[in-house]
Amino acid sequence: SGAVVGMEAKTGRIVAVASAPTYDPNAWVGGISAKDYKQLTGKNSDYPLLNRAIQGQSAPGSTFKVVSTAAAVEAGYEWDGGYPCTSSYSVGGQVFKNFESENFGPISLGRALEVSCDTVFYGLAHQQWQKDGGINPKKGEPKDYFFKAAHQFGLGKTTGIDLPNEVAGRIPDRQWKQDYWKANKDAWCKSGKKDGDYVQKIAYENCLEGNKMRAGDEINYSIGQGDTMVTPIQMATIYAAIANGGTLHDPTVGKAIVSADGKSVQEIKPKSHGRLPISRATLKKMDTALAGVATEGTAAWRFAQVGWPQAKIPMHAKTGTAEVYGKQTTSWFATYTK
Protein backbone atom coordinates (compact mmCIF):
# COMPACT_ATOMS: atom_id res chain seq x y z
CA SER A 1 0.00 0.00 0.00
CA GLY A 2 1.15 3.55 -0.57
CA ALA A 3 0.35 6.99 -1.89
CA VAL A 4 1.20 9.15 -4.87
CA VAL A 5 1.17 12.92 -4.48
CA GLY A 6 1.62 15.42 -7.32
CA MET A 7 1.99 19.13 -6.70
CA GLU A 8 2.97 22.27 -8.58
CA ALA A 9 6.43 23.29 -7.45
CA LYS A 10 5.81 27.04 -7.76
CA THR A 11 2.46 27.18 -5.99
CA GLY A 12 2.21 24.09 -3.79
CA ARG A 13 -1.16 23.26 -5.36
CA ILE A 14 -1.99 19.55 -5.32
CA VAL A 15 -2.61 18.33 -8.86
CA ALA A 16 -2.88 14.60 -8.25
CA VAL A 17 -3.39 12.34 -5.26
CA ALA A 18 -3.67 8.57 -5.36
CA SER A 19 -3.86 6.50 -2.20
CA ALA A 20 -4.03 2.75 -1.94
CA PRO A 21 -5.69 0.54 -1.00
CA THR A 22 -9.15 1.95 -1.73
CA TYR A 23 -12.62 1.06 -0.53
CA ASP A 24 -16.09 1.24 -2.00
CA PRO A 25 -17.78 4.49 -0.83
CA ASN A 26 -21.17 2.89 -1.44
CA ALA A 27 -20.47 0.67 1.57
CA TRP A 28 -21.44 3.62 3.77
CA VAL A 29 -24.79 4.33 2.13
CA GLY A 30 -27.52 3.57 4.65
CA GLY A 31 -25.01 2.87 7.40
CA ILE A 32 -22.47 0.10 7.92
CA SER A 33 -22.57 -3.04 10.04
CA ALA A 34 -20.18 -3.59 12.94
CA LYS A 35 -18.73 -6.57 11.08
CA ASP A 36 -17.96 -4.56 7.93
CA TYR A 37 -16.54 -1.69 9.96
CA LYS A 38 -14.24 -4.08 11.80
CA GLN A 39 -12.99 -5.40 8.47
CA LEU A 40 -12.06 -1.84 7.47
CA THR A 41 -10.29 -0.98 10.72
CA GLY A 42 -8.87 -4.27 12.01
CA LYS A 43 -5.18 -5.21 12.09
CA ASN A 44 -5.50 -7.29 8.93
CA SER A 45 -7.40 -4.65 6.96
CA ASP A 46 -4.33 -2.74 5.69
CA TYR A 47 -6.21 0.34 6.93
CA PRO A 48 -8.05 1.52 3.81
CA LEU A 49 -9.58 4.48 5.68
CA LEU A 50 -6.16 6.00 6.31
CA ASN A 51 -5.34 8.97 4.08
CA ARG A 52 -1.82 7.84 3.32
CA ALA A 53 -0.81 11.06 1.55
CA ILE A 54 -1.08 13.09 4.77
CA GLN A 55 -1.30 10.39 7.48
CA GLY A 56 0.83 7.52 6.21
CA GLN A 57 4.08 7.65 8.19
CA SER A 58 7.15 5.60 7.26
CA ALA A 59 10.93 5.84 7.10
CA PRO A 60 11.97 7.82 3.99
CA GLY A 61 14.95 5.70 2.99
CA SER A 62 17.36 7.28 0.52
CA THR A 63 14.93 10.03 -0.53
CA PHE A 64 16.10 11.58 2.77
CA LYS A 65 19.65 11.93 1.43
CA VAL A 66 18.89 15.38 0.01
CA VAL A 67 18.52 16.46 3.64
CA SER A 68 21.76 14.75 4.68
CA THR A 69 23.56 16.28 1.70
CA ALA A 70 22.41 19.77 2.68
CA ALA A 71 23.46 19.06 6.28
CA ALA A 72 26.94 17.96 5.17
CA VAL A 73 27.44 21.15 3.14
CA GLU A 74 26.17 23.25 6.05
CA ALA A 75 28.66 21.44 8.31
CA GLY A 76 31.51 22.49 6.03
CA TYR A 77 32.03 19.49 3.76
CA GLU A 78 32.95 20.36 0.17
CA TRP A 79 30.50 19.34 -2.54
CA ASP A 80 33.25 18.03 -4.80
CA GLY A 81 35.29 16.36 -2.06
CA GLY A 82 36.39 12.78 -2.63
CA TYR A 83 34.28 10.84 -0.14
CA PRO A 84 34.96 7.08 0.00
CA CYS A 85 32.07 5.01 -1.35
CA THR A 86 33.16 1.65 0.04
CA SER A 87 31.22 -1.61 0.12
CA SER A 88 30.80 -1.36 3.90
CA TYR A 89 31.45 0.88 6.91
CA SER A 90 32.42 -0.47 10.34
CA VAL A 91 31.77 1.15 13.70
CA GLY A 92 32.54 -0.56 17.00
CA GLY A 93 32.46 -4.03 15.52
CA GLN A 94 29.18 -3.43 13.69
CA VAL A 95 29.24 -3.48 9.89
CA PHE A 96 26.93 -1.20 7.89
CA LYS A 97 26.81 -2.32 4.27
CA ASN A 98 26.32 -0.35 1.10
CA PHE A 99 23.46 -1.45 -1.18
CA GLU A 100 24.49 -4.72 -2.84
CA SER A 101 28.01 -4.07 -1.45
CA GLU A 102 28.80 -1.67 -4.30
CA ASN A 103 32.10 0.22 -4.27
CA PHE A 104 32.48 3.39 -6.36
CA GLY A 105 35.70 4.68 -4.78
CA PRO A 106 36.15 8.39 -3.88
CA ILE A 107 33.15 10.38 -5.16
CA SER A 108 31.51 13.80 -4.77
CA LEU A 109 28.32 14.50 -2.85
CA GLY A 110 26.52 14.83 -6.17
CA ARG A 111 27.65 11.41 -7.34
CA ALA A 112 26.73 9.98 -3.92
CA LEU A 113 23.16 11.17 -4.55
CA GLU A 114 23.14 9.73 -8.09
CA VAL A 115 24.25 6.23 -7.09
CA SER A 116 22.72 6.54 -3.60
CA CYS A 117 25.93 5.51 -1.85
CA ASP A 118 25.07 4.69 1.76
CA THR A 119 28.65 4.49 3.00
CA VAL A 120 29.42 8.09 2.00
CA PHE A 121 26.61 9.27 4.27
CA TYR A 122 27.59 6.78 7.01
CA GLY A 123 31.05 8.29 7.06
CA LEU A 124 29.87 11.90 7.09
CA ALA A 125 27.31 11.28 9.83
CA HIS A 126 29.82 9.34 11.95
CA GLN A 127 32.45 12.07 11.62
CA GLN A 128 29.92 14.69 12.62
CA TRP A 129 28.78 12.56 15.57
CA GLN A 130 32.40 12.42 16.74
CA LYS A 131 32.82 16.19 16.30
CA ASP A 132 29.65 16.68 18.35
CA GLY A 133 31.24 14.85 21.27
CA GLY A 134 30.23 11.25 20.61
CA ILE A 135 27.92 9.48 23.03
CA ASN A 136 28.65 11.86 25.92
CA PRO A 137 28.85 15.39 24.46
CA LYS A 138 29.35 18.41 26.66
CA LYS A 139 26.28 20.47 27.39
CA GLY A 140 25.51 22.81 24.53
CA GLU A 141 28.32 21.37 22.40
CA PRO A 142 26.54 19.33 19.69
CA LYS A 143 25.94 21.21 16.44
CA ASP A 144 23.59 18.44 15.24
CA TYR A 145 23.73 19.60 11.62
CA PHE A 146 21.94 16.49 10.34
CA PHE A 147 18.99 16.93 12.71
CA LYS A 148 18.93 20.71 12.34
CA ALA A 149 18.71 20.39 8.55
CA ALA A 150 15.71 18.06 8.77
CA HIS A 151 13.78 20.61 10.81
CA GLN A 152 14.81 23.35 8.36
CA PHE A 153 13.43 21.17 5.55
CA GLY A 154 10.08 21.24 7.37
CA LEU A 155 10.15 17.70 8.72
CA GLY A 156 8.85 16.85 12.17
CA LYS A 157 5.87 19.20 11.71
CA THR A 158 2.82 19.45 9.47
CA THR A 159 3.05 21.07 6.04
CA GLY A 160 -0.09 23.18 6.54
CA ILE A 161 -2.11 21.49 3.80
CA ASP A 162 -5.79 22.53 3.72
CA LEU A 163 -7.03 19.11 4.84
CA PRO A 164 -7.91 17.94 8.37
CA ASN A 165 -5.93 15.52 10.52
CA GLU A 166 -2.51 15.82 8.87
CA VAL A 167 0.23 14.20 10.97
CA ALA A 168 3.70 15.60 11.67
CA GLY A 169 6.00 12.61 11.23
CA ARG A 170 9.06 12.31 13.47
CA ILE A 171 12.67 13.48 13.59
CA PRO A 172 14.50 11.40 16.26
CA ASP A 173 16.76 14.15 17.58
CA ARG A 174 18.22 14.31 21.08
CA GLN A 175 15.08 15.71 22.71
CA TRP A 176 12.92 13.01 21.10
CA LYS A 177 15.30 10.29 22.27
CA GLN A 178 15.22 11.63 25.83
CA ASP A 179 11.41 11.79 25.91
CA TYR A 180 11.02 8.37 24.27
CA TRP A 181 13.46 6.81 26.73
CA LYS A 182 11.59 8.20 29.72
CA ALA A 183 8.33 6.80 28.40
CA ASN A 184 9.72 3.31 27.67
CA LYS A 185 12.60 2.80 30.09
CA ASP A 186 10.69 0.64 32.58
CA ALA A 187 9.42 -1.73 29.88
CA TRP A 188 12.88 -2.02 28.29
CA CYS A 189 14.56 -2.75 31.60
CA LYS A 190 11.97 -5.39 32.41
CA SER A 191 12.20 -7.27 29.09
CA GLY A 192 15.84 -6.66 28.15
CA LYS A 193 18.48 -9.37 28.40
CA LYS A 194 22.18 -8.96 27.69
CA ASP A 195 22.46 -12.46 26.18
CA GLY A 196 18.88 -12.80 24.88
CA ASP A 197 17.52 -12.76 21.35
CA TYR A 198 17.81 -9.72 19.06
CA VAL A 199 14.78 -7.90 20.49
CA GLN A 200 15.85 -8.58 24.09
CA LYS A 201 19.38 -7.33 23.39
CA ILE A 202 18.02 -4.12 21.89
CA ALA A 203 15.75 -3.63 24.91
CA TYR A 204 18.73 -4.18 27.22
CA GLU A 205 20.80 -1.56 25.38
CA ASN A 206 17.90 0.89 25.34
CA CYS A 207 17.39 0.41 29.06
CA LEU A 208 20.98 1.45 29.75
CA GLU A 209 21.49 4.23 27.23
CA GLY A 210 18.39 4.64 25.08
CA ASN A 211 18.40 8.37 25.79
CA LYS A 212 21.85 8.85 24.26
CA MET A 213 22.67 9.53 20.62
CA ARG A 214 24.78 6.54 19.62
CA ALA A 215 26.96 6.33 16.53
CA GLY A 216 24.64 3.75 14.97
CA ASP A 217 21.62 6.00 15.54
CA GLU A 218 23.14 8.86 13.56
CA ILE A 219 24.51 6.54 10.86
CA ASN A 220 21.10 4.93 10.24
CA TYR A 221 19.44 8.33 10.41
CA SER A 222 21.68 9.74 7.66
CA ILE A 223 20.15 7.41 5.06
CA GLY A 224 16.54 7.74 6.21
CA GLN A 225 16.39 4.58 8.30
CA GLY A 226 15.71 3.97 11.98
CA ASP A 227 13.16 6.04 13.91
CA THR A 228 12.65 8.78 11.30
CA MET A 229 9.07 9.02 10.03
CA VAL A 230 7.75 11.17 7.18
CA THR A 231 4.59 11.41 5.10
CA PRO A 232 4.32 11.48 1.28
CA ILE A 233 3.06 15.08 1.39
CA GLN A 234 6.14 16.16 3.36
CA MET A 235 8.51 14.62 0.82
CA ALA A 236 6.50 16.06 -2.07
CA THR A 237 6.83 19.50 -0.46
CA ILE A 238 10.61 19.09 -0.11
CA TYR A 239 11.18 17.99 -3.69
CA ALA A 240 8.87 20.73 -4.97
CA ALA A 241 11.03 23.21 -3.07
CA ILE A 242 14.19 21.84 -4.69
CA ALA A 243 12.48 22.23 -8.06
CA ASN A 244 11.30 25.82 -7.53
CA GLY A 245 14.53 27.26 -6.17
CA GLY A 246 14.17 26.58 -2.44
CA THR A 247 10.74 27.79 -1.28
CA LEU A 248 8.69 25.48 0.95
CA HIS A 249 5.03 26.04 0.07
CA ASP A 250 1.98 25.07 2.09
CA PRO A 251 0.32 22.44 -0.15
CA THR A 252 -3.23 23.30 -1.18
CA VAL A 253 -6.04 21.19 -2.58
CA GLY A 254 -8.32 24.17 -3.17
CA LYS A 255 -7.62 26.59 -6.01
CA ALA A 256 -10.25 29.21 -5.22
CA ILE A 257 -13.37 29.97 -3.15
CA VAL A 258 -16.40 30.65 -5.33
CA SER A 259 -19.57 32.27 -4.02
CA ALA A 260 -22.89 30.45 -4.32
CA ASP A 261 -23.98 32.64 -7.24
CA GLY A 262 -20.64 32.17 -8.99
CA LYS A 263 -19.99 35.89 -9.25
CA SER A 264 -17.31 36.20 -6.60
CA VAL A 265 -14.08 34.26 -6.90
CA GLN A 266 -11.41 34.43 -4.23
CA GLU A 267 -8.21 32.80 -5.43
CA ILE A 268 -6.24 30.83 -2.84
CA LYS A 269 -2.76 32.28 -3.23
CA PRO A 270 0.42 30.30 -2.48
CA LYS A 271 1.80 30.58 1.05
CA SER A 272 5.30 29.76 2.18
CA HIS A 273 6.43 28.24 5.47
CA GLY A 274 10.16 28.64 4.92
CA ARG A 275 13.13 28.09 2.64
CA LEU A 276 15.54 25.20 2.30
CA PRO A 277 18.87 25.75 4.09
CA ILE A 278 20.76 25.56 0.80
CA SER A 279 22.58 28.24 -1.18
CA ARG A 280 21.60 28.76 -4.81
CA ALA A 281 24.93 27.28 -5.91
CA THR A 282 24.40 24.11 -3.87
CA LEU A 283 20.76 23.89 -4.96
CA LYS A 284 21.85 24.00 -8.60
CA LYS A 285 24.36 21.19 -8.02
CA MET A 286 21.75 19.12 -6.20
CA ASP A 287 19.30 19.68 -9.05
CA THR A 288 21.93 18.41 -11.52
CA ALA A 289 22.65 15.36 -9.36
CA LEU A 290 18.96 14.45 -9.16
CA ALA A 291 18.77 14.67 -12.95
CA GLY A 292 21.74 12.29 -12.99
CA VAL A 293 19.74 9.75 -10.98
CA ALA A 294 17.56 9.28 -14.08
CA THR A 295 20.48 9.10 -16.54
CA GLU A 296 23.47 7.66 -14.68
CA GLY A 297 22.20 6.66 -11.25
CA THR A 298 19.85 4.27 -9.49
CA ALA A 299 16.83 4.97 -11.73
CA ALA A 300 18.72 5.10 -15.05
CA TRP A 301 17.93 1.48 -16.00
CA ARG A 302 14.20 2.09 -15.74
CA PHE A 303 14.15 5.36 -17.65
CA ALA A 304 16.32 3.84 -20.38
CA GLN A 305 14.01 0.84 -20.52
CA VAL A 306 10.96 2.97 -21.31
CA GLY A 307 12.86 5.29 -23.62
CA TRP A 308 12.28 8.40 -21.55
CA PRO A 309 12.95 11.60 -23.63
CA GLN A 310 15.28 13.16 -21.04
CA ALA A 311 16.46 15.88 -23.45
CA LYS A 312 12.89 17.11 -23.95
CA ILE A 313 11.50 16.43 -20.47
CA PRO A 314 14.38 16.53 -17.98
CA MET A 315 13.41 14.22 -15.15
CA HIS A 316 14.95 14.70 -11.69
CA ALA A 317 14.49 11.83 -9.27
CA LYS A 318 15.56 10.00 -6.12
CA THR A 319 14.90 6.40 -5.26
CA GLY A 320 14.61 5.02 -1.75
CA THR A 321 14.00 1.78 0.12
CA ALA A 322 13.52 1.78 3.89
CA GLU A 323 13.96 -1.36 5.95
CA VAL A 324 12.86 -1.06 9.57
CA TYR A 325 12.91 -4.10 11.86
CA GLY A 326 9.43 -5.55 12.39
CA LYS A 327 7.82 -3.44 9.66
CA GLN A 328 7.02 -3.82 5.99
CA THR A 329 9.77 -2.57 3.69
CA THR A 330 8.84 0.80 2.16
CA SER A 331 9.77 1.82 -1.39
CA TRP A 332 9.94 5.48 -2.41
CA PHE A 333 10.31 7.38 -5.65
CA ALA A 334 10.48 11.18 -5.49
CA THR A 335 10.58 13.04 -8.77
CA TYR A 336 10.00 16.36 -10.52
CA THR A 337 10.45 17.93 -13.92
CA LYS A 338 10.45 21.54 -15.09
Side-chain angles (χ1 to χ4, degrees):
S1 62
V4 177
V5 181
M7 61 187 291
E8 294 178 349
K10 293 183 178 181
T11 66
R13 186 168 296 126
I14 301 299
V15 293
V17 176
S19 184
T22 58
Y23 65 94
D24 181 6
N26 291 324
W28 299 91
V29 177
I32 187 171
S33 68
K35 180 181 178 181
D36 288 341
Y37 185 73
K38 186 176 181 180
Q39 287 182 332
L40 292 172
T41 57
K43 290 183 178 181
N44 298 322
S45 68
D46 211 12
Y47 304 105
L49 304 184
L50 182 71
N51 185 336
R52 283 167 168 76
I54 64 172
Q55 297 172 322
Q57 302 180 98
S58 57
S62 292
T63 58
F64 186 78
K65 287 174 182 172
V66 293
V67 178
S68 294
T69 299
V73 173
E74 199 170 1
Y77 293 92
E78 295 291 333
W79 181 273
D80 293 318
Y83 304 103
C85 179
T86 53
S87 60
S88 63
Y89 190 89
S90 299
V91 178
Q94 186 174 358
V95 178
F96 296 85
K97 293 185 177 181
N98 196 19
F99 179 69
E100 295 186 348
S101 298
E102 290 186 294
N103 186 334
F104 289 92
I107 59 177
S108 67
L109 289 175
R111 184 60 175 158
L113 278 177
E114 287 180 356
V115 299
S116 204
C117 182
D118 291 338
T119 49
V120 165
F121 294 96
Y122 293 156
L124 293 171
H126 187 214
Q127 288 174 33
Q128 202 54 48
W129 176 82
Q130 292 172 319
K131 289 180 180 179
D132 280 341
I135 199 166
N136 292 306
K138 294 180 181 179
K139 187 176 180 180
E141 181 179 289
K143 299 293 185 182
D144 283 337
Y145 285 108
F146 282 77
F147 299 102
K148 179 183 176 182
H151 289 296
Q152 290 173 322
F153 269 71
L155 296 176
K157 59 184 178 183
T158 57
T159 64
I161 190 171
D162 50 349
L163 290 173
N165 304 316
E166 180 189 6
V167 298
R170 179 172 68 207
I171 296 300
D173 54 20
R174 294 179 192 276
Q175 186 60 55
W176 177 85
K177 284 188 71 67
Q178 182 66 31
D179 294 342
Y180 193 66
W181 179 73
K182 284 184 178 180
N184 293 280
K185 180 184 176 182
D186 291 345
W188 283 332
C189 293
K190 184 177 181 179
S191 63
K193 292 183 180 180
K194 186 176 182 179
D195 299 317
D197 59 27
Y198 176 78
V199 175
Q200 291 172 326
K201 287 179 180 178
I202 293 297
Y204 177 79
E205 292 176 5
N206 284 335
C207 169
L208 297 179
E209 52 183 33
N211 61 329
K212 295 183 178 181
M213 189 64 67
R214 295 162 289 194
D217 294 326
E218 192 141 350
I219 284 173
N220 273 326
Y221 169 81
S222 71
I223 63 164
Q225 307 276 14
D227 294 310
T228 305
M229 300 279 274
V230 301
T231 63
I233 195 65
Q234 287 176 321
M235 298 311 290
T237 302
I238 285 174
Y239 278 83
I242 295 173
N244 70 31
T247 301
L248 289 161
H249 285 295
D250 296 7
T252 58
V253 175
K255 184 176 182 179
I257 300 172
V258 183
S259 63
D261 59 11
K263 294 180 179 180
S264 174
V265 178
Q266 180 183 345
E267 182 182 355
I268 299 174
K269 296 182 179 180
K271 293 182 180 179
S272 168
H273 59 264
R275 285 191 60 81
L276 299 181
I278 312 175
S279 68
R280 290 191 178 278
T282 299
L283 192 60
K284 185 176 180 179
K285 292 176 182 178
M286 185 178 290
D287 183 75
T288 300
L290 294 175
V293 171
T295 58
E296 303 175 61
T298 53
W301 68 275
R302 188 58 176 145
F303 281 96
Q305 192 177 55
V306 300
W308 182 263
Q310 185 71 6
K312 294 182 179 180
I313 309 175
M315 185 63 66
H316 303 68
K318 188 72 196 80
T319 57
T321 302
E323 298 178 359
V324 179
Y325 182 81
K327 296 184 179 181
Q328 183 182 21
T329 297
T330 305
S331 294
W332 289 82
F333 189 71
T335 183
Y336 62 88
T337 188
K338 50 185 178 177

